[in-house]
Amino acid sequence: MTQPLTPETLVYNFNSAADPKISPDGGRVVYSLSEPVRGKRSGKSQVWLYEIASGAARPLTSGEKRNWGARWSPDGRRIAFLSDRAGKNGIFVLPLDGGEAEEITRHNVAISDLDWSSDGTTLAYTALFDPENPEEKEREEGEPPPIRATSRIDYKQDSRGYLNDLRPQVWTVDVATKARRMLTNDPVDHNNPAWSPNGMWLAAKIPNRNGMCSQLGLIDASSGAVTLVGPRDGVVSCWTWSPDGGQLLVAGEPKATWQSDLYVYFVASGEIRVLNDDLPCQPESGFPTVSPPSQPAWLEPNRALFHGVSHGRSGIYSVNIESGAVEEIISWDALHSGFSVDRAGKLAVQGSASLSGPGELVLIDIQNKTSRTITNLNGGQLPETPPARWERVDIE
């Protein structure tokens, strides 16, 4: 006999796979598998590897700590990931042909948004920076909290709490020498830095008005100088570099209307060209501090893929960079997250959640316009506590 879902079941009996990344050669997927832990405020998570040809999956990390945010090196031979295994938040690199994970750097504050340079020598990431505590010194046990005084309107934020002047800044670290440096130091957030193919720039989202508006920041990888792209009253949803690094495809809008369109930014001239103003979907932009945007994939000189949402459905779309024409490739009665495409543009992987199952991963064959679920984390739980039946209602 089936049993109704209870709060305890929802909290402790469901696992979740998230943040999948496909290898450059399209043969493997790394992802984070999260599990709740009774009696603790936070759960644990491990990095897993899925072999596409065989369907076999195995953990790459273990233990009672959190390991997450895995990213493939450009040659597909290593992964970088985040971990609190040493009691601090660290960046580790694991060779997949054998050997232990090596710690590259660590912080006493939150870190996220790993991204490899195209030559595989350097990692970019974000870490919280407190100008009143630049050395990240820990408070003595029993020491009272500091006095809070602020002169800015965005001194707190949902899911983050009290901010004051703690802002994510962009850092880089040399994988071989472990030398790191902070690239940005402006009192604003810097999110999801992405290396240009030539390694000269990092493109990051820089919000303002407490996240209601945002611009794209082009960060000089040598000097840290930032060039803001787009109007201050606009919104940046997601972005990607062209294969030659001379352009950026940006989903956004000049005013915060909550309906992004596609633009091309030319790095050398600073020109912004409108691709279209009537997208049939909303490019998936994630949620700040919770989930990153589904970054598009610019595969050919005149073609890019992106993940969009329309009428409660997720889909993958193709856009012609010259004409702005958009074509739906495949869509689902589900909400997907993330978007990782192999180098050839044949396969993609995403997280998927629907009314019939949470927290699974979906592999998409872009050429054949088909997909299949590659995890079954909660299949044993759902027959005992099935979700309610649903039906689709469209309102014109």
Side-chain angles (χ1 to χ4, degrees):
M1 178 181 292
T2 60
Q3 300 293 323
L5 287 170
T6 65
E8 183 177 13
T9 299
L10 290 171
V11 171
Y12 293 114
N13 290 12
F14 285 93
N15 297 332
S16 178
D19 197 21
K21 298 295 177 183
I22 195 166
S23 61
D25 64 3
R28 297 168 292 177
V29 174
V30 290
Y31 60 96
S32 299
L33 178 58
S34 300
E35 301 178 50
V37 178
R38 294 177 184 271
K40 293 188 177 182
R41 297 181 60 184
S42 61
K44 61 182 179 180
S45 60
Q46 305 299 341
V47 176
W48 280 64
L49 178 71
Y50 175 83
E51 300 282 354
I52 292 177
S54 66
R58 60 184 173 92
L60 296 177
T61 61
S62 60
E64 298 301 314
K65 298 294 186 177
R66 296 176 61 240
N67 301 277
W68 75 100
R71 298 293 182 266
W72 291 98
S73 63
D75 61 7
R77 298 174 60 187
R78 298 170 292 170
I79 61 165
F81 65 96
L82 304 174
S83 177
D84 63 359
R85 61 178 62 188
K88 312 294 182 183
N89 291 313
I91 298 174
F92 290 76
V93 170
L94 174 68
L96 293 181
D97 57 359
E100 297 293 326
E102 179 183 14
E103 186 178 54
I104 305 302
T105 192
R106 68 170 64 177
H107 288 265
N108 288 337
V109 295
I111 55 178
S112 59
D113 303 335
L114 286 178
D115 192 56
W116 287 87
S117 61
S118 60
D119 61 5
T121 64
T122 311
L123 285 161
Y125 63 99
T126 60
L128 285 178
F129 178 74
D130 183 357
E132 296 183 0
N133 184 19
E135 301 300 321
E136 302 178 8
K137 294 180 180 178
E138 296 185 89
R139 303 189 66 78
E140 297 290 339
E141 185 176 353
E143 183 180 359
I147 297 173
R148 293 178 175 179
T150 185
S151 60
R152 57 194 307 159
I153 194 170
D154 58 341
Y155 68 95
K156 62 181 179 179
Q157 195 175 90
D158 288 349
S159 79
R160 291 173 66 183
Y162 184 80
L163 302 178
N164 196 20
D165 288 323
L166 275 73
R167 305 287 169 170
Q169 302 294 343
V170 176
W171 300 66
T172 60
V173 60
D174 186 289
V175 175
T177 68
K178 302 181 183 179
R180 77 181 188 196
R181 64 192 184 103
M182 187 171 70
L183 273 186
T184 61
N185 194 18
D186 294 325
V188 292
D189 290 352
H190 299 73
N191 298 323
N192 309 111
W195 283 101
S196 63
N198 59 16
M200 295 177 60
W201 301 91
L202 286 152
K205 182 176 180 177
I206 301 181
N208 59 72
R209 292 169 173 80
N210 206 24
M212 300 299 290
C213 300
S214 55
Q215 296 169 282
L216 194 66
L218 290 190
I219 305 165
D220 187 300
S222 297
S223 67
V226 179
T227 301
L228 293 176
V229 176
R232 180 172 169 79
D233 293 335
V235 171
V236 171
S237 298
C238 50
W239 61 95
T240 192
W241 289 95
S242 63
D244 64 4
Q247 303 165 61
L248 281 153
L249 175 66
V250 182
E253 48 188 327
K255 291 285 186 180
T257 64
W258 308 110
Q259 178 55 59
S260 294
D261 290 302
L262 296 176
Y263 302 80
V264 173
Y265 173 76
F266 295 84
V267 176
S269 66
E271 174 193 355
I272 298 177
R273 179 165 62 89
V274 181
L275 275 185
N276 45 48
D277 60 2
D278 58 351
L279 274 181
C281 63
Q282 176 70 16
E284 203 279 316
S285 57
F287 191 86
T289 76
V290 177
S291 62
S294 297
Q295 302 289 38
W298 193 324
L299 302 174
E300 304 165 9
N302 294 322
R303 179 172 175 262
L305 302 175
F306 68 97
H307 168 212
V309 178
S310 177
H311 298 82
R313 294 166 56 88
S314 280
I316 294 177
Y317 298 80
S318 172
V319 58
N320 185 293
I321 301 298
E322 293 296 325
S323 68
V326 174
E327 174 191 359
E328 180 186 289
I329 294 177
I330 187 173
S331 62
W332 307 267
D333 285 322
L335 289 180
H336 286 192
S337 61
F339 185 48
S340 177
V341 184
D342 69 356
R343 187 173 287 134
K346 296 180 179 180
L347 296 174
V349 65
Q350 293 186 290
S352 178
S354 70
L355 293 174
S356 56
E360 304 292 353
L361 301 182
V362 173
L363 183 71
I364 303 110
D365 186 320
I366 295 170
Q367 290 184 323
N368 295 323
K369 301 181 180 182
T370 59
S371 67
R372 60 186 175 92
T373 303
I374 60 174
T375 55
N376 184 28
L377 302 176
N378 303 298
Q381 179 66 45
L382 290 176
E384 297 179 5
T385 55
R389 293 185 179 182
W390 61 277
E391 63 178 294
R392 183 180 180 88
V393 177
D394 291 317
I395 301 174
E396 299 296 337

